[in-house]
Amino acid sequence: MKSGRVSVAPDTSKRPGRGVGFCASLFAVASAGGAAGTFVAGSLAKREGPGGEWPHSRRLAATEEGTGIMARYTDALTIERGGFQIKVPDSWWEFDVRPESRDSSIRQMVNDRVRARPELAQYRDEFTAFLKKSAQEAWQSGAMYCGCMAESFGGDTPVTGSVTVSLVGARTQTGELLPTAPEAIVAQLAVREAKREGDTFRKVTTVDIPGVGSAARAYGIEDIEVPGDTRKIRVVLMQTFIPVPGEEGKVALVAGSSQVLDLADSFFDIFDAITSTFRFTE
């Protein structure tokens, strides 16, 4: 259904931002190696554009220019959903979580992978079920878009990242509405300092998104839970909380994550650049 200007997915307040863990879990499987990792990593991979334009090493290097990175891409792909739009690099692809199309998209992804690697056919049912269940849970938790990159630079492990846009409810555990003003959200987010090199940390601030206004942001290196698993994954994570106009207690959460910790600063720039293109639409 629709409420105001943004489509509202059901039950968004119970597990806000679950789409972040969903994309991270895909990449965790892809990085694990073995037959399972081979299956998912191949499914995540995206071919280069015509003529192999814009090698990914140049894309990452371009992050030194901060938000100017979007202008350095061959094209920026505009994603539109009920009530918002956002731009991502044209080399990224969407993992479809929408109920009306996700099952067919997942079947196509799995079929393409099995066609390329027939020896993986025995995993077809297992991973089809895994992806369908994860996509369903992500949607039920408010995820409306999940954009992904999985690029190989010649090594064994792909460089991966994702940006998820979710509509989430800002409520207490007892169901009371929480304020969504950026300053109020910042006051609720705990800053975490790294005690030594390699520790997790979290920085909290406010940012101004052109055409949207002020938003709360948390970014750093975090340990997040893998949905349906006891493990945690250490990731580069940026979360920007954008109040939804006319929707009391609702925020659009734009979350970027990557497991490539050595490229944290570059990914912070990429996630900031993508988030800066977020707009509400009529």
Side-chain angles (χ1 to χ4, degrees):
M1 66 176 180
K2 286 190 175 181
S3 177
R5 292 164 47 173
V6 178
S7 298
V8 179
D11 199 20
T12 60
S13 62
K14 291 184 179 180
R15 289 175 294 172
R18 188 196 179 285
V20 179
F22 165 54
C23 290
S25 67
L26 290 180
F27 295 135
V29 175
S31 302
T38 300
F39 190 104
V40 177
S43 301
L44 294 173
K46 187 182 188 302
R47 293 188 299 272
E48 289 287 347
E53 296 178 340
W54 274 98
H56 301 296
S57 57
R58 289 175 60 197
R59 291 195 182 109
L60 286 176
T63 61
E64 295 176 0
E65 299 184 8
T67 57
I69 184 175
M70 296 301 289
R72 294 286 302 277
Y73 282 77
T74 304
D75 287 298
L77 181 64
T78 300
I79 305 298
E80 295 193 30
R81 291 291 181 269
F84 74 88
Q85 68 176 32
I86 194 168
K87 294 182 179 180
V88 298
D90 67 330
S91 65
W92 287 39
W93 60 277
E94 179 178 1
F95 192 95
D96 195 353
V97 299
R98 293 170 294 175
E100 66 272 21
S101 54
R102 64 191 178 211
D103 285 357
S104 60
S105 296
I106 289 170
R107 281 196 301 270
Q108 185 64 51
M109 175 191 294
V110 173
N111 288 339
D112 288 346
R113 187 56 179 156
V114 171
R115 190 177 301 113
R117 296 286 299 274
E119 69 273 19
L120 298 176
Q122 61 181 309
Y123 301 102
R124 182 197 300 269
D125 292 344
E126 177 183 353
F127 280 99
T128 298
F130 162 73
L131 295 172
K132 285 183 177 181
K133 181 176 183 293
S134 296
Q136 178 184 17
E137 291 179 351
W139 175 264
Q140 290 175 340
S141 295
M144 302 177 70
Y145 169 75
C146 180
C148 307
M149 64 164 285
E151 319 288 2
S152 175
F153 295 95
D156 294 332
T157 303
V159 175
T160 59
S162 68
V163 168
T164 302
V165 181
S166 304
L167 181 67
V168 301
R171 294 178 180 270
T172 66
Q173 292 183 346
T174 60
E176 298 175 352
L177 287 174
L178 291 171
T180 57
E183 296 77 10
I185 294 177
V186 164
Q188 299 168 35
L189 297 172
V191 174
R192 183 183 302 118
E193 300 289 343
K195 296 180 180 179
R196 53 186 177 274
E197 186 176 358
D199 279 358
T200 60
F201 70 91
R202 180 192 298 149
K203 297 182 179 180
V204 179
T205 186
T206 58
V207 295
D208 185 69
I209 300 176
V212 174
S214 182
R217 171 173 292 173
Y219 66 99
I221 306 294
E222 304 256 10
D223 290 331
I224 65 173
E225 295 181 357
V226 177
D229 201 325
T230 58
R231 294 176 300 161
K232 291 186 177 181
I233 302 174
R234 183 157 293 185
V235 299
V236 180
L237 183 63
M238 176 181 286
Q239 299 182 91
T240 305
F241 303 82
I242 307 170
V244 178
E247 290 283 345
E248 187 178 11
K250 296 287 185 183
V251 295
L253 171 60
V254 182
S257 64
S258 172
Q259 288 183 258
V260 189
L261 305 185
D262 290 342
L263 294 177
D265 288 340
S266 292
F267 273 110
F268 288 145
D269 286 338
I270 291 174
F271 299 149
D272 175 69
I274 292 174
T275 304
S276 72
T277 71
F278 181 93
R279 301 289 186 274
F280 289 109
T281 58
E282 295 295 339

